[in-house]
Amino acid sequence: MFRMVDIIEKKRNGEVLTNEEITFFVNGYTDGSIPDYQASAFLMSIYFKGMTTEEQGFLTMAMVQSGDQIDLSAIEGVKVDKHSTGGVGDTTTLILVPLVAACGVPVAKMSGRGLGHTGGTLDKLEAIEGFHIELTEQQFVKQVNDLKLAVIGQSGNLTPADKKLYALRDVTATVDSIPLIASSIMSKKIAAGADAIVLDVKTGEGAFMKTHEDAKALAESMVAIGKQVGRDTMAVISDMSQPLGYAIGNALEVKEAIDTLNGVGPEDLTELCLVLGSKMIVVGGKADSIEDAREMLKAVIADGSALDLFGKLIEAQGGNGQIVHEPTLLPTASYQINVPATSSGYVTKMDADDIGIAAMLLGAGRATKEDTIDLAVGIVLTKKIGEYIAEGDTLAVIHSNNKNVDRSIALIQNHIIIGENAVESPALICEMITGH
Ligand code: URA
Ligand code: CA
């Protein structure tokens, strides 16, 4: 029998723990037999001493086994999941689900809601009237077998250990530990049934990982965990020093996703979807090379089949699929207000965080879990970093229902920095981590 105090001491001294010790901790903390004070001390020792890849794999699987696991074995083919560490105006999931499914990879997507200034895929989909995300596990599996795609909300008792540990980390200053983040994210993907995982690790001002080094370390940890536990995992490190695309806000991002599936979306958003989508197709076994996969994706955009499939997804889950051809059917805000540039010059900086907060103030996001969101409101930017704008020209358009408009305008004007000298636009794809 283990004693928690010995396990804490071992990690405090920088030693490597066994699977049995880590599992003892996860089970004991989940069932309440290990108290918060010991778990806190243990988390802090991990924060300072780190964990080997092997230990992270043990922690991941112990958290997976702490609750229900979604059984997707009735779905034929490799089930590929995609995860983003969270960005502002990041509409990629909405686009990737039909895009990749149209190439034959089954997409059984479990998504979450947004909190703070980053949006959640479920909220965006609920901007489509009638769309519901409550499917039973059987309906979910059947829809993926019939149509190749389905999106549901987190249901059941997935990774309760992670939920409890995350709440404790939040109040003990142990959230930003790479081994803890990596195992937390991977445990949720694996419990949701993923055979293979494509990760989009964001870096920059608007991201959880502010520096490239941290983003790279997190990506490498997750790819290594995937390898350790037998799930093919790849990661892309992508820029979040400015919002992705132009639209931030739920219905506005659905419209942007439709544009992208139509081949007329923003360049950065389109490119990121092609990069992530081609990895999903390769790990899903539908193409041998990234180049072939990319051609397949472009083809299903060009012939309209990806957009059609998005319409079918919407129909299957209770919405009006016609929306993909008539985005004017989406909810709209009462007012559109142009935000002018206060000087002439080049956009040199655009803090994604602050723009996200400006959208949240309008009602597009939740400050607390209990807040309700206004699906119609948000911001549509007109510029990217590196572009020129003249004083008085429109920097952004606010879609508003009359909430916090002045504060939102001030945030946009203060946090999109206009300078005299041209700057280069930041590279969208910083690095790929494949682990081979
Ligand atoms: N997101 C997660 O899911 N887990 C973490 O630990 C941090 C971010
Ligand atoms: Ca966007």
Side-chain angles (χ1 to χ4, degrees):
M1 196 54 193
F2 296 108
R3 293 194 318 156
M4 193 59 213
V5 62
D6 301 328
I7 298 174
I8 298 169
E9 184 179 309
K10 205 169 158 188
K11 183 46 73 185
R12 184 205 67 190
N13 294 342
E15 290 173 50
V16 175
L17 301 173
T18 64
N19 190 13
E20 290 70 26
E21 288 165 331
I22 290 171
T23 305
F24 170 82
F25 162 71
V26 170
N27 291 345
Y29 188 60
T30 310
D31 71 19
S33 58
I34 294 170
D36 281 352
Y37 51 83
Q38 285 188 311
S40 305
F42 183 56
L43 291 171
M44 192 57 83
S45 70
I46 294 172
Y47 180 92
F48 282 113
K49 298 295 179 177
M51 278 185 142
T52 65
T53 297
E54 211 174 23
E55 286 176 293
Q56 293 177 50
F58 296 148
L59 176 58
T60 301
M61 291 316 288
M63 293 200 292
V64 168
Q65 282 147 14
S66 72
D68 298 342
Q69 295 176 56
I70 307 289
D71 180 6
L72 299 179
S73 57
I75 299 169
E76 218 178 290
V78 181
K79 274 71 70 184
V80 185
D81 202 354
K82 169 254 173 188
H83 179 81
S84 154
T85 59
V88 175
D90 184 357
T91 324
T92 53
T93 299
L94 281 190
I95 301 160
L96 282 170
V97 168
L99 191 56
V100 169
C103 293
V105 177
V107 184
K109 184 76 191 150
M110 188 176 269
S111 277
R113 298 192 180 281
L115 184 62
H117 63 277
T118 59
T121 297
L122 291 187
D123 300 317
K124 292 172 199 178
L125 283 169
E126 283 178 349
I128 299 165
E129 200 191 329
F131 196 96
H132 65 87
I133 44 89
E134 294 93 18
L135 302 178
T136 64
E137 205 170 315
Q138 289 80 355
Q139 288 170 324
F140 183 55
V141 166
K142 180 171 188 317
Q143 189 179 315
V144 179
N145 274 330
D146 292 347
L147 282 183
K148 286 276 179 227
L149 76 180
V151 181
I152 57 168
Q154 264 125 20
S155 63
N157 181 33
L158 292 199
T159 60
D162 175 64
K163 281 197 191 82
K164 208 171 164 192
L165 282 169
Y166 195 86
L168 184 65
R169 286 164 60 203
D170 210 21
V171 293
T172 55
T174 50
V175 168
D176 54 347
S177 152
I178 285 169
L180 294 178
I181 300 169
S183 44
S184 163
I185 293 173
M186 291 298 284
S187 70
K188 283 175 278 204
K189 296 286 114 183
I190 293 168
D195 300 319
I197 301 156
V198 173
L199 299 157
D200 179 14
V201 180
K202 307 285 192 188
T203 176
E205 294 293 341
F208 194 53
M209 296 284 122
K210 305 285 178 206
T211 67
H212 185 188
E213 295 72 57
D214 282 350
K216 181 170 177 169
L218 177 60
E220 284 175 340
S221 277
M222 292 191 288
V223 170
I225 291 172
K227 194 167 187 183
Q228 154 106 354
V229 304
R231 302 299 198 285
D232 201 356
T233 305
M234 292 186 182
V236 170
I237 298 176
S238 74
D239 179 61
M240 207 7 95
S241 59
Q242 57 185 338
L244 196 60
Y246 295 104
I248 304 136
N250 298 284
L252 296 169
E253 289 186 45
V254 174
K255 164 81 169 51
E256 196 168 55
I258 291 169
D259 287 345
T260 306
L261 288 166
N262 248 324
V264 293
E267 209 178 300
D268 59 344
L269 182 59
T270 302
E271 178 59 22
L272 185 59
C273 289
L274 292 174
V275 169
L276 293 169
S278 44
K279 295 217 176 285
M280 291 172 75
I281 287 173
V282 170
V283 296
K286 297 288 173 190
D288 292 331
S289 71
I290 293 289
E291 294 71 31
D292 288 353
R294 199 178 163 97
E295 290 312 312
M296 288 166 72
L297 293 169
K298 285 183 172 172
V300 295
I301 292 175
D303 70 9
S305 54
L307 188 67
D308 282 348
L309 196 51
F310 190 36
K312 286 186 183 144
L313 169 72
I314 294 169
E315 288 283 337
Q317 295 193 218
N320 177 0
Q322 192 54 26
I323 236 168
V324 303
H325 304 295
E326 286 174 65
T328 49
L329 295 170
L330 287 163
T332 51
S334 302
Y335 306 97
Q336 292 193 15
I337 302 153
N338 290 341
V339 180
T342 53
S343 60
S344 296
Y346 296 90
V347 176
T348 57
K349 201 162 178 281
M350 151 147 40
D351 285 354
D353 262 345
D354 299 293
I355 311 293
I357 292 166
M360 185 176 82
L361 287 174
L362 296 170
R366 298 179 183 81
T368 70
K369 258 189 222 157
E370 288 71 34
D371 284 353
T372 51
I373 54 180
D374 183 338
L375 297 165
V377 303
I379 298 168
V380 180
L381 302 167
T382 64
K383 299 288 173 190
K384 297 255 111 177
I385 292 176
E387 292 178 354
Y388 181 83
I389 188 162
E391 182 179 344
D393 281 0
T394 302
L395 192 54
V397 179
I398 284 181
H399 293 243
S400 132
N401 283 328
N402 239 346
K403 187 176 165 196
N404 294 326
V405 173
D406 293 342
R407 284 171 71 194
S408 179
I409 291 176
L411 269 175
I412 293 169
Q413 287 179 330
N414 292 335
H415 293 280
I416 299 184
I417 311 294
I418 297 170
E420 278 175 24
N421 300 316
V423 295
E424 261 187 60
S425 71
L428 175 68
I429 307 296
C430 310
E431 204 172 336
M432 316 252 191
I433 312 280
T434 61
H436 323 113

